[in-house]
Amino acid sequence: DRIQSVQLSDDDESPQQIETFLSCGIPLDRFTSLQSLTLSHMRSATSMDVLLAQCHRLLFLSHLKFIDCSFQDGHQPIIKHLN
């Protein structure tokens, strides 16, 4: 596996991309060379929880970027995964 970077977005140009990716059942750790993950316009706290939990198994991940991610219900799952 030579994929080093993945960008997932739920913006207007790619609505539901993150949920579609997750529904395919491909865990992030299948990308064994992944070094960079960018998540943008994410609004689902559940999807965020799933993806961040998978990040712990990415041995080469050195860049994790969030762009305009927010949750209207005030749920803050990010904190528990960033240890």
Side-chain angles (χ1 to χ4, degrees):
D1 186 320
R2 296 177 185 238
I3 296 173
Q4 296 180 344
S5 178
V6 170
Q7 180 170 349
L8 298 171
S9 177
D10 279 339
D11 65 8
D12 292 338
E13 294 180 20
S14 57
Q16 304 299 315
Q17 183 183 58
I18 296 170
E19 286 74 19
T20 301
F21 175 81
L22 290 172
S23 71
C24 289
I26 302 170
L28 287 175
D29 61 358
R30 296 264 307 268
F31 302 103
T32 56
S33 299
L34 193 65
Q35 297 175 15
S36 175
L37 175 62
T38 301
L39 303 171
S40 64
H41 298 87
M42 181 178 279
R43 303 291 181 251
S44 169
T46 302
S47 296
M48 180 72 79
D49 278 338
V50 170
L51 290 169
L52 290 178
Q54 292 179 16
C55 285
H56 285 288
R57 297 187 301 262
L58 297 171
L59 301 178
F60 298 104
L61 186 68
S62 59
H63 295 83
L64 179 59
K65 186 174 185 178
F66 300 98
I67 300 171
D68 193 25
C69 297
S70 64
F71 309 106
Q72 292 185 356
D73 62 1
H75 181 74
Q76 296 181 10
I78 297 171
I79 295 169
K80 71 180 180 183
H81 293 293
L82 294 180
N83 294 335

